[in-house]
Amino acid sequence: MFDILRGKEEKPDEDAEKVEEKDEKKDIDIPPSKSPEPPVSFPKQDMMTKIEDEKKPEDHSLVSKKLIAEVRKHGVDNQEKAKDIYEKAVETLKTLLVKIRTREDLSVYMDKLYGLLDDLFNQLVLGDSILTNIYDDRVEEYYLPHHIVNVVILSSIIGLNMGFNKSRLSHIGLSSIFHDVGMDALREIAAQSRKLTDEEHGLVKTHIQNSLAVVDRVGTFSEVVKETIRQHHERIDGSGYPKGMKADKINAYAKILALADTYEAITHKRPHRAALNAHNAVRFLLGSLKNNFDSGVIKLFINKMSVYPVGSIVILETDEIARVISVQPGSPLRPVVMILRDADGEPVKQSSVIDLSRQDFPSIKGSI
């Protein structure tokens, strides 16, 4: 479905409030988890301002009933297929980074990247299975290809749930692919197991210019994609970089990319810090980071991902241990779970699936 665009496209908890957010690239101090946890509250501001229409009108929603029916007809949402698509996407990104280093002609590789967007989008339409792959820690591997694929998935989820059409999904997809490719030239700094010096932080910030230079080598991207990449570290409260822009001055796609990029970063280990689990990452977004991001994007993201995102391990009121395998829209506190261990902590012989949104008991008692 991206084929037609080729050539044209160019009260959150008080403890969390005390945590200072450092807005340099992937260098966020993570608060310790607390138990028991106070209830999570959603932002109360209005949804983000509607994205301005493109010059070429395209009113139909990409996620039409007909499209979904066709995709489901030709595919099945299962873990094996989703993992295969995910791993192929990572390999595509690894190859892209090699081509960038060796200064090859990137324009001839664009078909591969559009294919990546097609495959990931189709799988997201089918269901949530691919989301379980984004929480796998691969500390022995170079983080950047996985990070980029994860951000593509997360930003696409937000776009899909905003009803983006083909053109808008293409904008956010391409922006996500290229937003951090400039970090590859800084991989030695990113690999440091200590906190970076001020000079190193300054160098890390140049990854935006590096990424834009790569985009210029392709030569077919629209200005909105370049602007989104340029602004993905800006923050609603003006604390971001490179220009310290605020609120409505920030491109709406960049608001989406900023949240996806940050959420992905804080849920994965880096050499200099530990990771948050998915549940605590959501709490962090609603706590210390709530003024950094558009409240409408946060609300939509959490309504889709839930307070307990796909892949989270949770404890039920029955003391059973379960994994979140799906999220029901509108029920962020009551996802679909698969029982892994019984109340005594023993592995279950046969897993059972419970849709918590369809029953009052049990509820989730906490996360692991």
Side-chain angles (χ1 to χ4, degrees):
M1 53 200 62
F2 283 101
D3 292 313
I4 66 170
L5 299 170
R6 302 180 189 185
K8 296 182 182 178
E9 173 55 43
E10 77 61 87
K11 235 158 110 189
D13 68 289
E14 295 178 355
D15 289 326
E17 288 288 319
K18 298 177 183 177
V19 181
E20 294 184 358
E21 188 260 350
K22 299 182 187 295
D23 198 37
E24 284 84 4
K25 182 69 182 173
K26 312 297 181 299
D27 190 20
I28 299 174
D29 288 339
I30 292 176
S33 58
K34 301 288 184 182
S35 181
E37 301 164 332
V40 173
S41 60
F42 290 105
K44 296 181 180 179
Q45 296 159 287
D46 293 335
M47 292 292 283
M48 65 182 288
T49 303
K50 184 179 179 182
I51 294 177
E52 294 182 1
D53 290 335
E54 313 291 326
K55 288 183 179 180
K56 182 177 179 181
E58 192 172 18
D59 295 330
H60 62 283
S61 171
L62 183 59
V63 194
S64 65
K65 292 181 180 179
K66 182 177 179 181
L67 173 61
I68 293 174
E70 284 298 310
V71 173
R72 284 178 173 158
K73 179 179 178 182
H74 297 289
V76 177
D77 182 31
N78 61 64
Q79 294 291 343
E80 185 176 346
K81 180 179 179 182
K83 184 175 179 61
D84 181 59
I85 290 172
Y86 180 88
E87 295 298 341
K88 285 181 178 178
V90 170
E91 290 304 314
T92 299
L93 259 298
K94 288 179 179 178
T95 301
L96 174 63
L97 293 177
V98 170
K99 290 182 179 295
I100 291 171
R101 290 174 209 152
T102 55
R103 302 197 63 79
E104 294 183 40
D105 181 3
L106 299 180
S107 62
V108 299
Y109 199 63
M110 288 305 297
D111 277 351
K112 272 280 191 181
L113 299 180
Y114 278 108
L116 177 155
L117 292 177
D118 260 340
D119 290 344
L120 291 177
F121 172 73
N122 287 345
Q123 189 61 39
L124 287 170
V125 171
L126 285 172
D128 296 328
S129 288
I130 199 165
L131 285 173
T132 59
N133 295 280
I134 73 173
Y135 297 110
D136 290 343
D137 262 322
R138 300 169 176 85
V139 291
E140 76 285 355
E141 294 187 50
Y142 182 34
Y143 85 94
L144 189 57
H146 297 277
H147 169 72
I148 292 175
V149 172
N150 293 345
V151 172
V152 172
I153 292 170
L154 293 169
S155 60
S156 295
I157 286 171
I158 297 173
L160 282 168
N161 283 273
M162 292 184 73
F164 276 13
N165 59 26
K166 300 183 191 74
S167 178
R168 292 170 179 173
L169 275 174
S170 179
H171 288 336
I172 194 63
L174 290 172
S175 300
S176 299
I177 287 176
F178 284 93
H179 80 289
D180 265 1
V181 292
M183 279 297 297
D184 188 59
L186 302 164
R187 54 191 177 278
E188 290 185 8
I189 294 178
Q192 295 296 322
S193 58
R194 54 170 172 77
K195 290 206 170 185
L196 302 183
T197 65
D198 289 344
E199 181 180 359
E200 289 169 331
H201 277 308
L203 288 172
V204 166
K205 290 182 179 181
T206 67
H207 80 276
I208 296 176
Q209 288 72 38
N210 295 345
S211 298
L212 290 169
V214 172
V215 167
D216 286 339
R217 283 169 52 188
V218 180
T220 58
F221 290 121
S222 69
E223 271 307 310
V224 72
V225 170
K226 295 178 183 179
E227 185 179 75
T228 301
I229 294 170
R230 191 177 296 116
Q231 295 179 2
H232 79 275
H233 276 288
E234 301 289 358
R235 298 294 182 258
I236 295 298
D237 60 0
S239 63
Y241 66 88
K243 294 186 176 181
M245 300 170 72
K246 290 185 177 181
D248 292 342
K249 298 293 184 182
I250 303 173
N251 173 327
Y253 298 104
K255 294 175 182 178
I256 293 172
L257 184 53
L259 180 64
D261 183 47
T262 299
Y263 177 84
E264 201 288 334
I266 63 178
T267 53
H268 289 82
K269 291 180 182 178
R270 293 292 183 264
H272 60 286
R273 60 161 173 79
L276 282 177
N277 65 35
H279 173 64
N280 285 331
V282 167
R283 298 182 63 81
F284 198 26
L285 292 177
L286 293 172
S288 295
L289 303 186
K290 68 176 182 179
N291 294 324
N292 285 188
F293 304 107
D294 184 277
S295 61
V297 175
I298 292 177
K299 183 175 181 179
L300 189 149
F301 179 74
I302 294 173
N303 277 339
K304 171 57 186 174
M305 297 292 287
S306 101
V307 175
Y308 303 100
V310 171
S312 301
I313 305 297
V314 297
I315 306 173
L316 303 182
E317 287 180 300
T318 56
D319 288 333
E320 294 169 300
I321 306 296
R323 180 189 299 275
V324 177
I325 60 172
S326 185
V327 174
Q328 300 290 35
S331 298
L333 295 172
R334 302 190 68 82
V336 180
V337 300
M338 176 182 290
I339 304 300
L340 303 177
R341 293 180 178 272
D342 62 26
D344 296 321
E346 297 297 323
V348 295
K349 295 180 179 178
Q350 186 171 1
S351 297
S352 59
V353 174
I354 304 173
D355 184 347
L356 298 177
S357 70
R358 293 180 176 271
Q359 54 193 62
D360 295 329
F361 182 86
S363 294
I364 293 176
K365 186 164 67 172
S367 63
I368 299 178

